[in-house]
Amino acid sequence: MTSIGGAEMVDWNLAVATATRFVRPGPDVSRDEARAVVAELRRHARASEEHVRGFTRMIPEGHEPLDTPVLVVDRAGWVRANVAGFRELLKPLLDKMQERRPGGPGGAVLGAVGGKVTGVELGMLLSFLASRVLGQYETFAPPTRELPAGEKGGGRLLLVAPNIVHVERELDVDPHDFRLWVCLHEETHRTQFTGVPWLRDHLEGEIQSFLGETDVDPMTVLERFREAAQSLSGARPEGEEDESGRSIVELVQTPAQREILSRLTAVMSLLEGHADYVMDGVGPDVVPSVAEIREKFQQRRARGASRLDQALRKLLGLDAKLRQYRDGERFVRSVVEEVGMDGFNRVWTSPNTLPTKAEIAKPADWVARVHRKAES
């Protein structure tokens, strides 16, 4: 625990309890239907392995990477898994914030109150996200009894069953096709990390460097969480704009962090865009209604939701994630068209062959740097 005098900077148990309490109820399904959905998602996850490996050619034939579990969870299960991951990744940042907290009894009181406040507000944000995530490959997942993870620091693949059912009904698409389509996307992420041994450590190093460079007052972070929670509860008028217009991520940037964040943005754009490209590339052969699903899903992304939802997306930096899907998919498609899938796969050679943020926008520059340099 990150604590002094028994007071944590974040009350993680309260975060879980709050998120579980406030998360929206899932779609109305019978017990038998729920069991059938879970069983089908597990079958699709297994089938997706072969489809994704055959299409991407990332894993050489005869090579079997470390196995990572596939877990079909509900919204509360997704919350518990992500709190465990946050607790692991945010420790350097919280340790630094802890050091800056005033000493003596006043500091202990601040820690006790602040920890509970932050726990509640983190829980509110997770309750918002828990009803929106369809699937997630947890790269840095610590194993627990309820949520196992792969060996030697391997991750786990989460499929959030109620959210998948909710979206397939909302889009009015074939449920069996949609479930396989989602599994193809998430299996691509699992293949990326199990097929590229250095990728996890590289990302962890970048994230820890980012957090280690943070120089921010603890109360400023608490205030930013409070603004998000007020938006959720309706305490902040829906039309009221945040004066700074900055997301939580942008709030904690130093000059060194901006450089790291630029590299992280490029990697995440690559990973997300690659997953979108793969699921659409595999789709026509195994998902009969893939064209309809993609069209309706893109319309859903573009349409967005209420002004409240849009404000929260901006605050949490989720609008940047949506751009990552578009920009990354365009990069992958352009590179594959120019140098083929095997030529694209040079991107996984080492951290030096990953695209920069500028190269994501200009794929030809990446091709020139990686391919012409290798051929000269």
Side-chain angles (χ1 to χ4, degrees), residues 11-320:
D11 189 329
W12 300 105
N13 292 332
L14 186 57
V16 172
T18 301
T20 303
R21 177 183 177 188
F22 285 100
V23 70
R24 297 177 182 177
D28 186 19
V29 296
S30 67
R31 186 183 297 270
D32 288 344
E33 184 179 3
R35 287 174 176 167
V37 170
V38 170
E40 184 173 22
L41 286 173
R42 287 175 176 157
R43 289 196 305 271
H44 285 331
R46 286 193 297 270
S48 294
E49 286 187 48
E50 181 178 352
H51 297 314
V52 169
R53 292 183 187 185
F55 184 82
T56 63
R57 302 200 289 275
M58 289 179 62
I59 300 176
E61 192 172 341
H63 175 72
E64 194 62 31
L66 289 175
D67 187 35
T68 54
V70 176
L71 307 178
V72 181
V73 298
D74 57 12
R75 290 170 176 174
W78 180 88
V79 166
R80 288 192 295 272
N82 276 267
V83 165
F86 284 153
R87 189 171 187 171
E88 190 84 5
L89 274 182
L90 292 179
K91 189 176 186 302
L93 174 61
L94 296 180
D95 285 346
K96 178 172 283 193
M97 291 173 64
Q98 190 79 34
E99 292 171 2
R100 295 187 58 171
R101 198 173 69 191
V109 171
L110 173 64
V113 174
K116 291 191 179 299
V117 169
T118 309
V120 168
E121 292 169 352
L122 176 60
M124 292 292 290
L125 296 180
L126 288 171
S127 72
F128 167 78
L129 295 171
S131 62
R132 286 158 171 76
V133 177
L134 301 181
Q136 175 184 357
Y137 184 76
E138 281 200 293
T139 315
F140 311 107
T144 66
R145 181 179 301 178
E146 291 181 329
L147 298 163
E151 298 179 359
K152 300 179 181 180
R156 59 185 168 223
L157 180 59
L158 304 180
L159 297 169
V160 191
N163 295 349
I164 293 172
V165 172
H166 171 78
V167 173
E168 70 192 25
R169 291 178 177 179
E170 178 186 352
L171 298 181
D172 190 25
V173 294
D174 183 280
H176 310 293
D177 284 2
F178 183 74
R179 294 165 196 173
L180 177 55
W181 189 70
V182 171
C183 287
L184 290 170
H185 181 100
E186 303 307 332
E187 175 58 35
T188 303
H189 286 317
R190 184 162 70 151
T191 299
Q192 289 164 348
F193 284 95
T194 58
V196 183
W198 54 264
L199 184 57
R200 179 190 181 277
D201 289 342
H202 172 70
L203 265 183
E204 183 177 24
E206 292 279 57
I207 292 170
Q208 294 303 339
S209 295
F210 180 88
L211 295 176
E213 287 287 339
T214 299
D215 185 19
V216 64
D217 179 72
M219 295 309 296
T220 306
V221 175
L222 293 179
E223 180 60 29
R224 192 53 54 122
F225 274 117
R226 188 168 296 112
E227 290 170 0
Q230 287 173 348
S231 295
L232 281 170
S233 66
R236 172 187 289 269
E238 191 169 306
E240 182 179 328
E241 295 289 339
D242 179 72
E243 292 181 0
S244 68
R246 293 182 297 174
S247 71
I248 290 173
V249 171
E250 292 171 320
L251 177 71
V252 296
Q253 283 186 55
T254 65
Q257 281 181 307
R258 283 193 288 273
E259 294 182 12
I260 299 170
L261 190 61
S262 177
R263 295 195 298 268
L264 282 171
T265 298
V267 175
M268 297 312 298
S269 296
L270 170 69
L271 298 180
E272 294 294 355
H274 184 235
D276 264 12
Y277 178 80
V278 170
M279 72 178 179
D280 284 347
V282 174
D285 291 331
V286 298
V287 182
S289 59
V290 64
E292 178 191 2
I293 291 173
R294 166 54 78 185
E295 180 181 1
K296 290 184 175 180
F297 197 77
Q298 290 287 58
Q299 290 174 354
R300 181 178 184 268
R301 276 183 181 170
R303 186 169 59 246
S306 66
R307 293 175 67 186
L308 169 62
D309 189 64
Q310 292 170 359
L312 281 167
R313 285 183 179 277
K314 182 175 183 180
L315 181 63
L316 297 173
L318 296 181
D319 53 344

